[in-house]
Amino acid sequence: MPAVTVENPLTLPRVSASADAVARPVLTVTTAPSGFEGEGFPVRRAFAGINYRHLDPFIMMDQMGEVEYQPGEPKGTPWHPHRGFETVTYIVDGIFDHQDSNGGGGTITNGDTQWMTAGSGLLHIEAPPEQLVMSGGLFHGLQLWVNLPAKDKMMAPRYQDIRSGSVQLLTSPDGGALLRVIAGELDGHEGPGITHTPITMVHATLAPGAEVTLPWREDFNGLAYVMAGRGSVGAERRPVHLGQTAVFGAGGSLTVRADEKQDSHTPDLEVVLLGGRPIREPMAHYGPFVMNTKDELMQAFEDFQKGRLGTVPAVHGMSGEGPGA
């Protein structure tokens, strides 16, 4: 699991929660069901079964892979629309191409992130590059959906290309945890992702037996999703493993610990930590649109059908390859 790493974490700034911070309890641990997305790549639905009041402002998150593709097997998604939220695609292993009808896009690989603010609406496509389709290979990533408040839902679309080298790297006091701040801030250290809805997104790698207690904004919710390995969360050491999401309650710090023994193919515990300020607005979500009312959803579908969310670039305009195909 390459993402972005360093040989000696002790060369990095160290973070830890203050001794008087109130520890966040673990409210629940859920296990993600598995399924398929787009043209057939395997996903785990990380937030399935979690009440939205614990997720707000996050809507959904898919773990894509980890899968070792044979030649000809890699798959992506066809052209499809979005409106009313932001999609965050984080590639841990492998390579992915993105293009949208607003002119955004590019190629991301180990540790890179694409941050697409759909806003008023656009069309986009995500797929492995042809050389990966031909050769096969390892693919592993996450896609997170972040809601936009009503005042920003119809903003102009925006695209951020966040390269692995710009991610803020931190560690725990003993160097046992490598913390990659992708967006937001952790203990005053800011990640490169610019968000409309205040959030923090951290990819943490914990060596076997390592523990980290991090300061966490009290006005944010707190979630921990296990991408690989085994460990525990909270001061009560609630067990967690691959494909599970822990929901934290209120407080000023959260704790994650890696088990002493990990699986043979997973040397460390890999966790994504998420926090955000709840929007607390009505949400109407259907398919690729996230709005505030049913009428707004119907308008989004009408606008899509009438071509108001953009058009597929001419290079992709072959018959049968249109949006939603």
Side-chain angles (χ1 to χ4, degrees):
M1 184 173 289
V4 57
T5 189
V6 294
E7 288 189 14
N8 182 7
L10 290 173
T11 62
L12 303 172
R14 305 178 197 187
V15 297
S16 63
S18 63
D20 59 353
V22 175
R24 287 177 173 249
V26 178
L27 301 182
T28 184
V29 173
T30 61
T31 301
S34 297
F36 294 91
E37 184 57 78
E39 295 174 342
F41 61 84
V43 298
R44 288 185 174 90
R45 305 289 192 193
F47 297 161
I50 300 175
N51 191 297
Y52 182 64
R53 74 176 186 275
H54 297 313
L55 298 177
D56 185 13
F58 307 109
I59 301 164
M60 57 161 279
M61 185 168 73
D62 285 346
Q63 180 178 13
M64 305 178 293
E66 179 176 3
V67 59
E68 183 75 42
Y69 282 121
Q70 297 300 310
E73 284 188 340
K75 298 176 176 67
T77 64
W79 282 94
H80 58 283
H82 285 308
R83 172 181 279 181
F85 64 101
E86 301 182 288
T87 63
V88 182
T89 305
Y90 174 54
I91 298 300
V92 181
D93 287 296
I95 187 169
F96 223 34
D97 285 341
H98 165 84
Q99 185 178 8
D100 65 48
S101 56
N102 195 50
T107 298
I108 53 174
T109 186
N110 304 341
D112 295 338
T113 302
Q114 289 172 339
W115 199 295
M116 187 183 78
T117 304
S120 59
L122 44 62
L123 311 177
H124 83 138
I125 187 171
E126 295 165 305
E130 187 160 348
Q131 66 265 30
L132 180 62
V133 175
M134 297 295 291
S135 66
L138 185 63
F139 182 81
H140 189 197
L142 291 173
Q143 185 168 95
L144 171 70
W145 289 15
V146 185
N147 202 4
L148 287 170
K151 65 181 181 62
D152 293 327
K153 283 195 178 296
M154 296 300 286
M155 66 173 290
R158 184 181 67 181
Y159 177 81
Q160 299 175 68
D161 188 14
I162 302 171
R163 293 297 165 182
S164 61
S166 67
V167 169
Q168 175 70 65
L169 300 180
L170 307 169
T171 191
S172 51
D174 64 358
L178 174 61
L179 308 167
R180 307 166 186 86
V181 184
I182 297 168
E185 62 88 24
L186 183 62
D187 199 26
H189 301 275
E190 294 190 0
I194 300 170
T195 70
H196 287 277
T197 303
I199 73 165
T200 294
M201 180 179 183
V202 178
H203 173 194
T205 299
L206 281 75
E211 179 175 294
V212 62
T213 298
L214 300 175
W216 210 251
R217 283 180 51 165
E218 294 190 11
D219 60 334
F220 279 18
N221 58 1
L223 303 162
Y225 176 73
V226 181
M227 288 195 295
R230 297 178 174 276
S232 58
V233 288
E236 60 269 51
R237 293 195 174 186
R238 184 85 171 263
V240 290
H241 59 73
L242 166 65
Q244 291 191 315
T245 300
V247 177
F248 291 90
S253 71
L254 54 81
T255 298
V256 179
R257 186 181 188 278
D259 284 357
E260 295 281 355
K261 292 185 178 180
Q262 297 293 330
D263 300 331
S264 59
H265 65 284
T266 304
D268 304 307
L269 174 66
E270 305 284 350
V271 181
V272 172
L273 303 173
L274 295 168
R277 182 190 298 158
I279 296 174
R280 295 193 176 96
E281 293 177 350
M283 185 180 71
H285 173 202
Y286 189 83
F289 305 123
V290 182
M291 305 304 292
N292 294 103
T293 67
K294 184 177 179 181
D295 285 347
E296 290 172 345
L297 276 183
M298 294 174 64
Q299 184 65 55
F301 274 102
E302 179 182 331
D303 289 347
F304 167 55
Q305 291 167 351
K306 293 186 176 180
R308 297 172 185 150
L309 300 191
T311 57
V312 175
V315 69
H316 291 280
M318 296 169 60
S319 176
E321 290 189 357

